[in-house]
């Protein structure tokens, strides 16, 4: 809602309404970070890593299933799909387009491929925002210090959200993987095959198939670079 209000305000040259919309947007992104913190209260890292994450993972860019998957009765040829990923989140793409965030070529290619997994109206919404007048250029040309500060609060909130996402991934994937490995090594062969052991190929990859830490750090850093410097 704040994005739509801001775009209308740009078109109408209504700086007061634009400033209010940017304040609302920064607050909304901050609320997303607070909501993400609830992960710690409801999801056990060991369960997420060894059980839930396997079912979130796809088989495109997944070395565990290099040939893809045949859907019997649908297609005779193997098909490859990415798993669920935050990179498929419409709202994060909308933030990037609205704030004029420009990611690296590799990250952009992955993000745009993830748009294929959005519902078509969601994808169309992101494209509409991309085609709207540039918020960043409007703020720069206005010379309004208050608008510049409000814009930077939005970018900072988005960078903070992405930093917190990295912390979540560290706990639920990197640390969980290390603990799981230690547990399996301790069990050795005496417990027989482990039914809960995920493929090792998933350790460094996101469920969408990205190289998880390099991707997340890259988009976080390029988000920070989107701030308007005084």
């Amino acid at each position: 809602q704040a994005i739509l209000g801001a775009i209308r305000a740009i078109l109408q040259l209504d700086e007061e309404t634009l400033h209010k919309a940017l304040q609302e947007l920064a607050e909304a992104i901050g609320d997303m970070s607070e909501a993400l913190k609830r992960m710690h209260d409801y999801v056990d890292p060991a369960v997420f890593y060894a059980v839930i994450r396997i079912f979130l993972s796809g088989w495109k860019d997944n070395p565990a299933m290099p040939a893809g998957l045949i859907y019997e009765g649908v297609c005779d040829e193997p098909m490859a799909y990415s798993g669920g990923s935050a990179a498929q989140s419409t709202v994060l793409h909308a933030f990037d387009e609205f704030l004029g965030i420009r990611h690296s070529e590799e990250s952009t290619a992955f993000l745009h491929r993830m748009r294929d997994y959005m519902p078509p109206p969601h994808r169309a919404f992101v494209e509409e925002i991309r085609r709207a007048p540039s918020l960043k250029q409007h703020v720069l040309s206005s010379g309004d210090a208050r608008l510049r500060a409000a814009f930077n609060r939005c970018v900072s909130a988005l960078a903070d959200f992405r930093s917190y996402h990295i912390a979540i991934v560290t706990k639920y994937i990197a640390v969980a993987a290390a603990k799981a490995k230690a547990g399996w090594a301790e069990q050795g062969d005496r417990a027989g095959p482990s039914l809960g052991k995920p493929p090792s190929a998933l350790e460094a990859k996101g469920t969408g198939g990205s190289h998880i830490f390099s991707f997340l750090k890259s988009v976080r850093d390029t988000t920070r670079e989107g701030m308007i410097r005084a």
Side-chain angles (χ1 to χ4, degrees):
Q1 291 296 328
I3 289 175
L4 296 177
I7 292 174
R8 281 194 297 268
I10 293 171
L11 293 170
Q12 296 167 4
L13 301 178
D14 184 346
E15 310 293 55
E16 190 59 40
T17 299
L18 176 58
H19 181 259
K20 182 180 178 183
L22 292 178
Q23 287 181 309
E24 290 174 356
L25 180 60
E27 185 176 337
I29 299 173
D31 288 344
M32 286 172 55
S33 292
E34 289 301 314
L36 190 55
K37 292 177 183 177
R38 300 178 69 190
M39 182 100 167
H40 302 291
D41 298 327
Y42 295 100
V43 185
D44 181 277
V47 173
F48 176 82
Y49 180 75
V51 182
I52 299 172
R53 189 165 179 262
I54 297 173
F55 293 98
L56 293 177
S57 298
W59 40 94
K60 183 178 178 65
D61 301 325
N62 184 343
M65 296 181 66
L69 181 68
I70 294 176
Y71 285 78
E72 293 181 354
V74 176
C75 182
D76 293 332
E77 297 298 320
M79 303 175 78
Y81 292 112
S82 298
S85 169
Q88 296 162 6
S89 171
T90 305
V91 72
L92 292 173
H93 286 251
F95 292 157
D96 281 344
E97 294 291 1
F98 179 62
L99 296 170
I101 305 299
R102 295 292 174 259
H103 298 297
S104 71
E105 186 176 343
E106 184 179 0
S107 295
T108 297
F110 175 73
L111 286 165
H112 282 198
R113 178 158 67 81
M114 291 298 100
R115 291 186 185 183
D116 292 339
Y117 293 86
M118 294 179 185
H122 288 209
R123 189 165 60 245
F125 175 68
V126 173
E127 288 299 314
E128 280 294 315
I129 295 172
R130 184 180 65 82
R131 288 191 290 268
S134 168
L135 167 67
K136 190 170 188 178
Q137 288 304 316
H138 180 84
V139 172
L140 284 168
S141 61
S142 74
D144 188 324
R146 203 168 59 128
L147 280 182
R148 185 171 66 244
F151 174 89
N152 282 343
R153 278 196 296 274
C154 292
V155 176
S156 179
L158 184 57
D160 288 346
F161 176 83
R162 286 181 156 142
S163 288
Y164 195 73
H165 187 194
I166 293 170
I168 288 281
V169 168
T170 300
K171 175 179 177 179
Y172 283 85
I173 296 178
V175 175
K179 288 183 177 179
K181 276 185 177 179
W184 299 325
E186 187 178 330
Q187 285 181 28
D189 293 329
R190 54 190 168 81
S194 172
L195 294 177
K197 184 174 182 179
S200 60
L202 298 180
E203 289 170 9
K205 290 239 182 181
T207 45
S210 65
H211 292 279
I212 193 161
F213 283 105
S214 59
F215 170 73
L216 292 179
K217 289 177 180 177
S218 172
V219 296
R220 187 270 314 278
D221 293 345
T222 47
T223 299
R224 283 180 177 159
E225 290 167 7
M227 296 184 73
I228 296 174
R229 306 300 172 183

